[in-house]
Amino acid sequence: MAQTIFERLIDGEIPTEIVYQDDLVFAFRDINPKAPIHILIVPKKPIPRIAESTLDDQFLLGHLLLKAAHVAKVIGLEGTGYRLVINNGHDGGETVPHLHCHILGGRLMDWPPG
Ligand code: AMP
């Protein structure tokens, strides 16, 4: 299968501002931010979307969320709050088929989301 844009960022083929990475996850600035702070955190394993994750990914998915909270704290969002978003499939607004969690902050988020 062809590599996604996120795999190419993880591999260093395309430059990006890395916010955090470890053996399992990779966090970087969204190229088209929807909030003053907009970071994406992705598993290095190329799971296309949350619906295609399996029980084998249980630890990885927990790690992804814990590290999303860690990144939000390090970036200074803990006090004001932030939103984590995972889009799944067409109606969910997914455009890149590599599971990713949006970390959005720096402004008051609307509810319900558009
Ligand atoms: P989604 O719509 O949930 O699939 O989110 C995909 C996100 O990836 C969008 O917010 C895009 O702005 C972002 N994106 C696409 N290409 C890049 C890139 N090269 N570097 C950083 N973010 C990107």
Side-chain angles (χ1 to χ4, degrees):
M1 215 194 330
Q3 277 201 321
T4 65
I5 188 94
F6 292 169
E7 283 175 273
R8 297 174 69 199
L9 295 173
I10 292 165
D11 290 349
E13 233 181 89
I14 300 173
T16 188
E17 186 191 332
I18 301 169
V19 179
Y20 174 84
Q21 70 171 320
D22 59 28
D23 289 350
L24 297 177
V25 299
F26 185 82
F28 53 99
R29 300 259 178 199
D30 195 292
I31 204 168
N32 184 15
K34 313 299 186 300
I37 294 175
H38 189 173
I39 292 165
L40 299 174
I41 184 162
V42 310
K44 290 186 172 176
K45 176 181 174 184
I47 301 168
R49 58 193 59 81
I50 191 71
E52 285 172 53
S53 57
T54 71
L55 261 186
D56 287 346
D57 300 316
Q58 197 165 1
F59 178 84
L60 176 59
L61 296 177
H63 186 79
L64 184 79
L65 285 180
L66 287 171
K67 291 305 173 182
H70 169 75
V71 167
K73 183 176 183 176
V74 168
I75 215 87
L77 292 176
E78 195 177 45
T80 48
Y82 52 89
R83 180 170 291 172
L84 302 181
V85 174
I86 295 176
N87 296 327
N88 187 97
H90 177 268
D91 282 5
E94 174 203 308
T95 59
V96 178
H98 182 133
L99 176 60
H100 48 284
C101 177
H102 297 258
I103 303 168
L104 296 149
R107 67 169 169 82
L108 185 62
M109 299 293 146
D110 294 330
W111 191 262

